[in-house]
Amino acid sequence: MTATCYLGLGSNLGDPVAHLTSALSALEQHPAIRLINRSPFYGSKAIGPGTQPDFINAVIEVQTTLAPAPLLHALQAIENQHGRERRLRWGARTLDIDILLYDNQTISEPDLQIPHPRLSERAFVLVPLQKIAPDLQLPNGTSVASLLDYVSTDDVWMLQFQDGV
Ligand code: ROI
């Protein structure tokens, strides 16, 4: 069985564009994950405590034969290969890969919530998501487009288009 998923990528330490690019290639090389579509890279002002460097964010669509928990573990392995340290909640990070949506599923487990619990309020997720999936709806029927009516997109800017997937 194959699931369609949307993943959010973010980085604000070191060379964030390089981290996202190499995360994309790690995802492409994963035998159980197929990259279907990807947004451009966006710059975004950091949401979180203190002063942090701006983020680079992107959203991708993948197909996978992995169930949600194994997918999460595969993504965490890629994060760890990029030196991700999970010390500070909402602190700066070299690479973050979040499962935003997994098919039309709703999952509420301690370490896995889908849709991503803060998806609806984060312009740095909604803007790239809308770019690659303009008609997408959450499992509860809310459209991504309508969520964008409620958030400011002032702190999110498109950086570049990249060819191909
Ligand atoms: N802020 C932005 N702009 N982009 C992110 O990806 C991001 N990720 C996070 C926190 C620290 C909450 N802030 C962010 O985890």
Side-chain angles (χ1 to χ4, degrees):
M1 229 202 55
T2 303
T4 297
C5 304
Y6 291 88
L7 309 180
L9 291 84
S11 170
N12 74 339
L13 282 182
D15 182 343
V17 169
H19 290 311
L20 257 59
T21 304
S22 98
L24 286 171
S25 96
L27 287 162
E28 268 175 327
Q29 280 161 33
H30 195 288
I33 298 174
R34 189 147 75 98
L35 194 50
I36 302 295
N37 201 357
R38 73 189 207 205
S39 75
F41 287 173
Y42 288 81
S44 65
K45 291 271 165 228
I47 292 179
T51 309
Q52 290 188 35
D54 291 346
F55 272 81
I56 303 296
N57 285 110
V59 168
I60 64 175
E61 178 187 350
V62 301
Q63 284 181 353
T64 184
T65 50
L66 298 174
L71 176 62
L72 178 67
H73 295 143
L75 301 179
Q76 286 171 345
I78 295 173
E79 288 177 344
N80 291 335
Q81 287 157 15
H82 290 75
R84 167 75 185 272
E85 291 183 19
R86 309 187 149 269
R87 269 193 229 133
L88 194 63
R89 194 178 188 211
W90 290 345
R93 60 250 354 260
T94 47
L95 180 66
D96 203 10
I97 312 177
D98 290 332
I99 304 176
L100 305 172
L101 295 165
Y102 185 102
D103 272 343
N104 229 10
Q105 289 195 31
T106 302
I107 300 171
S108 310
E109 287 167 13
D111 16 335
L112 184 59
Q113 292 110 43
I114 299 174
H116 190 284
R118 287 167 296 281
L119 162 70
S120 304
E121 66 215 40
R122 289 182 163 177
F124 66 80
V125 172
L126 294 172
V127 170
L129 184 56
Q130 145 107 340
K131 185 84 181 165
I132 58 168
D135 299 324
L136 192 67
Q137 293 188 350
L138 306 191
N140 69 7
T142 308
S143 70
V144 170
S146 71
L147 291 169
L148 271 166
D149 290 340
Y150 296 96
V151 301
S152 164
T153 57
D154 292 351
D155 288 347
V156 179
W157 56 95
M158 194 193 297
L159 288 184
Q160 59 190 251
F161 274 106
Q162 280 136 341
D163 293 332
V165 167

